[in-house]
Amino acid sequence: MSDPTEAEQKLQALRAQVASAPTPAERAKAGMRLVEELWLSDPAAATPLLERLVGEAEAAGDRKTWGRAVTMLSELLRNAGDLEGSERYADLALKDADATGDLQGRGCALNLVGMIHQERGEFGPALRCFEEFLQISRQIGFRRGEDTALNQLAGVYGLQGDMAKALACYREALELSTRAGDSHGRAIHTHNIGWTLEAMGRWAEATEHFHRAIALSEEHGYHDQLLTARMELGELSLKRSDHENAVRMFMAVIEAEHETKSSGRLLRDALSNLGWTFFRSGDLARAEETLDEAAQLVEAAEDRHHLAAVGLRRAELALARGRLDAAAALLAQASRHAADLSLRKEQGEALRVEALLAAARGQADPALDFFAMSGTALEPLGDTYELALTRLQHARLLIDRDRAEEALPLLQTSSRTFRRLAVVAEAEEANRLLYRLEVQTNSDSALLQRFLSITALDLTPERFAELALGILCDNFRFEQGAVLVHGRPVALSGRPDLGEVPADRTRLLQNDLVLLLPISPG
């Protein structure tokens, strides 16, 4: 990692070169060297410098510096959420390239325009821009352009749910960046491969790639890329019910974005994820407040992809708070955006929430139909968390309708997925329902399978003891229980009166009200 003192000294030297430049042309070149050093590590400081540099380079007749400054400024404004400003500079770059017959310049400008379309959820125009950019780059042997175009195409494929195409493009782009010694490209593509693997349910591989991206970003000072990778790790923590770590990750991103006064995609994602973490941990009031803030930013940015995602979360939250009409309105809006943009995951999730809404209204048969449609929509995306959640909730309703035989295969497949992903809360619910079904035929086997199921979740000893105690209490029909180590409770179920525990805890004790199982360390 570079020395902060050395980096600051370099910046001071570059600023001095700008101040002492004897001509406008030399000042423009010195200004470009300064912003090249700043724009990845401190985008807030780079933006006003670039705005001034655009005018200085144009006045000096330096078309190369002007073009680079316009491109960088468009990217920084897009990342900060100013899509109109970003589009203004992207259009300038495109018109200039077409006027001068500069194919490489046209490709780069198309990339800027395509990213703005993507940010707005306009995936058809975005794909056309990126495909032409890739074609131009290969035609003229522009390696960096080919690398970037592959990355952008993969991003759109991923958002549309075609993960196999996305992964192939990202891996091809990573190979190009590695061969070229491009550390920034490597950081981006490594992170994006992790994102794709996460969406495919391959979380162990995804986590490895996120940590690689973080290491590269920390080493080279890539501010946005570092925050993005940390947010992905926060999302994995959320899905694994590690709410404390998820909140810490998302708050770190939010604070960093507030420091740079950014309202771009990173802040919107972090607020949405933080709100959902509050929802998952049961704090519905804070969840609503945070998701409403995220929705305001998303609406201001006209980001229809995130309008679908945040809308679904707000609909499920309204449903949990008993506001069925509000949930229906939010769900209809989110479903429309998901359908318009062909967002497969969001379409599947919308059907799942539609099923929950129908069930809450007492419409069990339509709810079961919506769950089945949700599973069908999500299955092509692979063995994902979202598909397992749909199957779990579908099975739960089937059990309530006394259709246990239909519920059993759904529970078995969802339980396997949750165990593989180390998703604790949903795995435990699936296993509890499985146990209820299987205990009717073979109680001993059911109890053993339920214990085995929690050994695959990579739990802390305290959490393992808590879940194991719950399983025992459930099996023996006890309302409360405790695990004591050297007389100290390490796990509780219900509200047991520990004063009733016998002083002699070395012998088995069993009666109608109490079961004492002493365990000696081996």
Side-chain angles (χ1 to χ4, degrees), residues 40 143-145 147-148 173-190 216 220 222:
L40 292 175
R143 200 278 318 162
R144 185 179 291 274
D147 175 289
T148 302
L174 179 59
E175 283 184 28
L176 288 171
S177 292
T178 302
R179 286 201 302 267
D182 177 5
S183 58
H184 187 233
R186 284 174 57 211
I188 290 174
H189 303 319
T190 300
L216 279 166
H220 298 283
Y222 302 144

Side-chain angles (χ1 to χ4, degrees), residues 367-488:
L368 291 171
D369 290 340
F370 282 124
F371 275 130
M373 288 188 285
S374 174
T376 300
L378 292 169
E379 280 174 359
L381 304 183
D383 188 20
T384 63
Y385 167 84
E386 288 78 17
L387 177 58
L389 181 61
T390 286
R391 287 170 170 167
L392 169 61
Q393 294 176 348
H394 189 180
R396 187 169 59 201
L397 183 57
L398 285 168
I399 291 172
D400 290 343
R401 303 292 290 174
D402 296 322
R403 294 164 62 176
E405 288 186 4
E406 297 172 65
L408 185 59
L410 293 171
L411 285 174
Q412 289 170 333
T413 54
S414 66
S415 177
R416 282 196 297 270
T417 301
F418 291 137
R419 286 202 305 272
R420 177 176 60 80
L421 299 176
V423 178
V424 177
E426 287 83 353
E428 177 54 19
E429 182 181 357
N431 293 331
R432 185 170 61 251
L433 293 173
L434 272 173
Y435 173 76
R436 281 174 50 188
L437 299 182
E438 293 171 347
V439 75
Q440 299 172 15
T441 56
N442 189 331
S443 60
D444 292 339
S445 174
L447 181 60
L448 176 61
Q449 286 301 316
R450 195 167 175 198
F451 271 118
L452 289 175
S453 70
I454 65 174
T455 63
L457 296 177
D458 192 25
L459 302 169
T460 63
E462 294 80 7
R463 182 62 174 144
F464 180 87
E466 182 182 340
L467 290 180
L469 174 63
I471 291 171
L472 285 173
C473 288
D474 192 22
N475 184 72
F476 292 116
R477 303 290 193 273
F478 286 153
E479 294 180 358
Q480 53 212 12
V483 176
L484 306 180
V485 176
H486 300 303
R488 182 177 63 85

